Amino acid sequence: MKDHEKYLHRCLELAALGIGFVSPNPMVGAVIVHQNKIIGEGYHQKYGQPHAEVNAVNSVFLRQLNAEELLKEATIYVSLEPCAHFGKTPPCSDLIIRHQIPKVVVGCRDPFVQVDGKGIEKLKSAGIEVIESVLEAECLELNKRFFTRIQKQRPYVILKWAQTQDMFFAPENGSKQWISDAISKKLVHHWRSEEDAILVGKNTAAADNPQLNNRYQPEAKQPKRIVLDRRLELSHQLHLFDQSVETLVFNEVKTALEGKIKCISLEDFDLFLPQYVLFQLYLQDIQSVIIEGGAKTLKLFIEAGLWDEARIFTSKARWGKGIKSPEITGELKSSITVGEDELVVISNKKS
């Protein structure tokens, strides 16, 4: 079992390289082992491109002269159950069967209805030995975004804000005043490259004129932008409307497409707004979203219980007055120092 865990750890390392590029697919890594030696490995690199198992098998053929013979005596380790259906690529379970790989070690099952045990059953029916649930908790954690979208029909929701030592979120007069330091800001920009979208409310868009992009890694994938603007009152001179990336504007006035600006009219802005927004994002294949504010918008999702984790920076500054930070309860996942700030991550076990 220790060897199984060692190779599954490598699968997880490989899978994580796909973060930000494979959504709405899961991140998957695969390692092929022959006589306790890795002879091939791969991961799902980009949505629509070959899956991890395909890349791993291909790497064996690139590295080994007698690839076919080695595969017939090898074990393939995969962090997620091999798929059994035709999507953008052929089924990976068929690939394993075709190359007569005799043993498959799987981290966790795939909850997607077209897979969910079908890949494992197909492998077993072909006479292949399948070992399941190795490092299952770690594999589930890696793909928490994917599992949330499939099982709850909504994106994985990350709340993010910065607050002062005395728990203030923003100035009372609506002016722009930074709380977190430069190192924290750089980390936030990196997070943006890992998630599908960022959401803000109208007041934050108007007051801060945010770009909601990753300016430290311009070559990285940029998130989609989402804004709640009930009556479509925001100026189109704001950065949000620069047509650089797809921007969704939830409102009660109209549904229309204007270049990369997509206006989506909702049934009701007074009742169940977080639910309506998240279901629409699910329909748009958005697997994860960072909600960056303002306080009213964050409070909406907190009160609805529609969040999965909160990332909160606390600076050493004290303001004495201002708009109070949101209040949140959950399970503390981590607490670290980032630059001059403290960063805590809280998990919502009830979501």
Side-chain angles (χ1 to χ4, degrees):
M1 185 59 73
K2 287 295 181 185
D3 281 344
H4 290 338
E5 291 183 355
K6 177 177 73 174
Y7 296 125
L8 250 299
H9 270 300
R10 179 56 181 160
C11 289
L12 289 168
E13 289 176 351
L14 291 165
L17 298 174
I19 191 166
F21 295 99
V22 302
S23 176
N25 282 352
M27 295 175 279
V28 185
V31 171
I32 300 176
V33 177
H34 180 267
Q35 296 182 355
N36 296 314
K37 178 184 177 182
I38 294 177
I39 60 171
E41 58 183 29
Y43 67 97
H44 185 28
Q45 298 179 16
K46 191 173 182 180
Y47 177 68
Q49 292 187 3
H51 289 184
E53 298 92 327
V54 176
N55 288 329
V57 168
N58 286 344
S59 77
V60 175
F61 280 93
L62 287 172
R63 296 179 185 183
Q64 313 295 334
L65 292 176
N66 55 337
E68 282 288 2
E69 291 75 16
L70 291 175
L71 287 172
K72 291 175 183 177
E73 301 174 350
T75 298
I76 183 168
Y77 293 80
V78 191
S79 56
L80 186 69
E81 175 183 3
C83 59
H85 68 290
F86 282 87
K88 287 187 176 293
T89 59
C92 292
S93 54
D94 288 356
L95 174 77
I96 293 169
I97 294 167
R98 186 167 71 251
H99 287 290
Q100 301 176 46
I101 301 173
K103 182 186 288 188
V104 181
V105 180
V106 176
C108 65
R109 289 198 174 204
D110 188 335
F112 184 52
V113 67
Q114 290 181 282
V115 184
D116 198 7
K118 296 181 178 68
I120 288 170
E121 288 308 312
K122 181 180 277 192
L123 294 171
K124 288 181 176 179
S125 296
I128 293 170
E129 180 185 357
V130 180
I131 297 173
E132 294 185 59
S133 304
V134 178
L135 296 185
E136 184 177 34
E138 291 89 338
C139 292
L140 291 170
E141 173 67 18
L142 176 74
N143 275 310
K144 57 192 176 185
R145 298 162 180 84
F146 173 73
F147 296 133
T148 296
R149 182 178 178 274
I150 294 298
Q151 295 170 334
K152 299 181 180 179
Q153 295 190 322
R154 66 165 176 82
Y156 187 85
V157 177
I158 300 166
L159 309 179
K160 192 280 295 182
W161 72 84
Q163 61 190 21
T164 63
Q165 195 70 224
D166 48 355
M167 305 294 289
F168 290 108
F169 175 87
E172 289 177 324
N173 61 8
S175 63
K176 185 175 181 178
Q177 187 170 343
W178 290 111
I179 297 176
S180 54
D181 72 5
I183 297 175
S184 296
K185 290 175 194 170
K186 193 169 184 178
L187 176 59
V188 169
H189 280 250
H190 175 70
W191 289 344
R192 291 174 175 179
S193 69
E194 296 181 338
E195 311 305 336
D196 284 353
I198 305 175
L199 184 151
V200 295
K202 185 193 77 171
N203 291 341
T204 296
D208 295 350
N209 190 17
Q211 296 181 58
L212 302 184
N213 59 8
N214 177 4
R215 293 186 290 284
Y216 290 96
Q217 298 168 289
E219 74 286 352
K221 186 211 71 172
Q222 297 294 339
K224 295 180 181 181
R225 302 179 296 199
I226 304 161
V227 62
L228 308 181
D229 184 10
R230 182 171 188 163
R231 299 179 182 85
L232 295 180
E233 296 171 319
L234 287 171
S235 167
H236 275 232
Q237 300 306 308
L238 295 173
H239 293 310
L240 286 177
F241 302 105
D242 64 9
Q243 297 281 351
S244 60
V245 296
E246 185 176 342
T247 300
L248 280 58
V249 185
F250 288 107
N251 67 92
E252 64 178 13
V253 178
K254 67 177 181 179
T255 294
L257 183 63
E258 301 163 2
K260 292 184 179 180
I261 311 301
K262 186 181 291 185
C263 294
I264 301 174
S265 177
L266 298 179
E267 293 179 41
D268 195 333
F269 251 73
D270 295 313
L271 295 172
F272 307 114
L273 179 59
Q275 289 88 340
Y276 284 133
V277 168
L278 293 181
F279 185 63
Q280 284 295 327
L281 297 185
Y282 164 78
L283 295 177
Q284 301 284 330
D285 276 343
I286 290 175
Q287 190 163 263
S288 62
V289 58
I290 303 175
I291 299 177
E292 292 204 1
K296 181 180 176 182
T297 300
L298 288 162
K299 186 178 178 182
L300 273 174
F301 287 86
I302 293 170
E303 289 182 344
L306 290 171
W307 61 280
D308 296 288
E309 66 180 76
R311 302 174 183 178
I312 307 165
F313 292 98
T314 302
S315 75
K316 294 180 178 179
R318 290 182 177 273
W319 285 1
K321 62 179 182 178
I323 297 173
K324 273 291 187 180
S325 301
E327 294 182 7
I328 198 165
T329 57
E331 179 182 317
L332 180 65
K333 290 183 66 176
S334 64
S335 178
I336 61 172
T337 300
V338 179
E340 295 294 316
D341 302 328
E342 178 192 15
L343 169 63
V344 298
V345 179
I346 298 171
S347 174
N348 181 12
K349 290 302 181 183
K350 297 179 181 179
S351 66

